[in-house]
Amino acid sequence: MKDVKNYIEENKQRFLDELFELIRIPSISAESEHKDDMVRCANKWKEFLLAAGVDKAEVMPSAGNPVVYGEKTIDPSKPTVLVYGHYDVMPVEPLAEWRTKPFEPEVIDGKIWARGADDDKGQSFMHAKAFEFMVKTNQLPCNVKFMLEGEEEIGSGSLYGFCEEHKELLKADVILVSDTSMIAQDVPSITSGLRGLCYWDVEVTGANHDLHSGIFGGAVANPINILCKMIADLHDENGHITIPGFYDDVLVISDEERALMAQAPFNEEAYKKELDIKNVHGEKGFTTKERTGIRPCLDICGIWGGHTGEGSKTVLPSKAYAKISTRLVANQDYEKISELFKNYFEAAAPDCVRVKVTPSHGGAAYVAPLEMTAYKAAEKAMQETFGKRPIPTRSGGSIPIVAGFERILGIKSILMGFGLGSDDIHAPNENYPLYNFYKGIETIPYFYQYFTEMSK
């Protein structure tokens, strides 16, 4: 790609200024008070896509937040790449832990500090600027479509229906996504798999109202005690999940891919030190990286009940609550797992309490085969700009809609992300290194070039 580095150098401040316009819009999809901000952010994206050179762009309605769509067709006979990203961001709490104002981006120590700096405004914006470069310099080798949604952080609930409704509009040869991370700045990697997700809300009810813990304690079941015991019983002494049938469909990856993944540098002592933990913990028989990439897990995301305010209150609560999630791997059906957990957990409850499990949301795992054309194009593109072959990795995280794209649109996705594990996405002090931001803009045009060449 001729002169891409020069183009970035000449426009790098403008790129940042424009990105900061997007970041300053608090597009928090989980909070209804930001509904107008979602629309405002979608319209800003439309403005930037038009300026970058798409033939047309529009803000399209969905059952929830709007979807931004843009396209440029240079030749119908050429391949088409559909770029997917999301413009919604996570809530910012706890606000007191931020070093900067979350929606007032600042560059400090070579990093952009703000909510959405990486996930996913910064990474999505790389694609707009890479596309701009190819259009402005007449080097765009194929057709390009953009789809940016506003509900990824709450499960992409409306996008499934949007895709069903607009299958013809979204036709493409591959979906290109940057919403994942690399191993390190000097160790490029491509995410070849994502874990799936199931999420439930659990309610345990004992007596019909709160009771005095002295008068009734020991005679009436405490829902918090019961819930804690039920949760503890979800794992055995080897870290295996005890739900019958949970592992039946788990896909075991090949020794070859496992060996490739093992090439990724990982210092367990540094990992423990960074997290301030004495030791790691997980399923017996697997490494730390394998536990988060190729094996499923189950975790309690929140638990509460009774008196949680200041001071003491001797109460035996009527109810206890928990939010429970599983991360799933290839071949596990999230709807099947959701039903397995609900049936098992409700049946496991002693008759001194009533348990209600309400499925919240979920999505399937996704695998991008290493032999697919898009993977090889991404591999070659990253090798071109980083000077070394990227390592395939399996992410512990989930982007449920990616599996949805394959099911609804029949299109595979390639996950070529440029974030880092240290970017603190979803947490206070989210950040994104300038190096990664500009390196992404430099690398993406090579993907288009090699994907077009390999697709002939």
Side-chain angles (χ1 to χ4, degrees), residues 238-396:
N238 293 317
H240 292 109
I241 297 163
T242 56
I243 302 168
F246 185 86
Y247 293 98
D248 284 358
D249 301 320
V250 169
L251 186 68
V252 179
I253 70 168
S254 68
D255 291 341
E256 181 184 6
E257 186 169 352
R258 203 169 174 182
L260 280 172
M261 290 173 58
Q263 293 176 14
F266 179 70
N267 185 321
E268 192 159 286
E269 291 305 314
Y271 181 82
K272 291 188 289 188
K273 184 177 180 181
E274 180 183 352
L275 298 177
D276 194 20
I277 56 175
K278 187 174 182 179
N279 212 340
V280 294
H281 176 79
E283 186 181 2
K284 187 176 181 180
F286 296 92
T287 67
T288 297
K289 294 297 289 182
E290 288 176 335
R291 288 168 179 164
T292 59
I294 64 171
R295 298 297 292 172
C297 67
L298 184 149
D299 287 289
I300 312 308
C301 299
I303 182 170
W304 69 98
H307 178 66
T308 58
E310 185 178 358
S312 61
K313 182 181 180 184
T314 51
V315 62
L316 195 160
S318 170
K319 292 181 180 291
Y321 304 89
K323 291 183 179 289
I324 302 177
S325 77
T326 57
R327 299 288 177 163
L328 309 174
V329 295
N331 217 41
Q332 285 185 293
D333 183 333
Y334 76 95
E335 292 178 330
K336 176 182 175 181
I337 294 297
S338 183
E339 194 66 19
L340 279 177
F341 173 81
K342 176 178 169 64
N343 293 339
Y344 172 76
F345 206 68
E346 289 180 345
D351 61 8
C352 53
V353 297
R354 300 183 302 280
V355 174
K356 179 183 178 183
V357 175
T358 304
S360 174
H361 61 278
Y366 174 75
V367 174
L370 305 192
E371 63 272 14
M372 66 186 279
T373 300
Y375 183 91
K376 292 184 179 300
E379 182 180 59
K380 193 172 180 181
M382 296 190 90
Q383 189 160 3
E384 178 81 40
T385 57
F386 286 90
K388 57 181 73 174
R389 184 184 182 187
I391 296 170
T393 63
R394 295 287 186 102
S395 172

Side-chain angles (χ1 to χ4, degrees), residues 34 47 65 91 104 106 131 134 226 278 294 314 326 386 388 399 448:
H34 291 287
E47 177 186 321
N65 292 323
E104 283 298 330
E106 296 184 46
F131 172 79
M134 290 183 286
I226 300 292
K278 187 174 182 179
I294 64 171
T314 51
T326 57
F386 286 90
K388 57 181 73 174
I399 312 176
Y448 283 90

Side-chain angles (χ1 to χ4, degrees), residues 181-200:
S181 298
M182 304 190 308
I183 294 169
Q185 278 191 342
D186 60 345
V187 186
S189 58
I190 299 171
T191 301
S192 60
L194 297 165
R195 289 199 288 188
L197 173 70
C198 276
Y199 202 102
W200 305 270

Side-chain angles (χ1 to χ4, degrees), residues 27 33 42 54 85 124-125 130 152-153 164 174-175 200 235 251 257 276 291 300 315 335 373 399 415-416 420 426 438:
S27 48
E33 65 193 78
V54 296
S124 292
F125 201 66
E152 194 276 338
E153 300 294 13
E164 291 278 8
V174 70
I175 299 174
W200 305 270
H235 291 89
L251 186 68
E257 186 169 352
D276 194 20
R291 288 168 179 164
I300 312 308
V315 62
E335 292 178 330
T373 300
I399 312 176
L415 303 159
M416 190 170 69
L420 297 176
H426 292 203
Y438 294 127

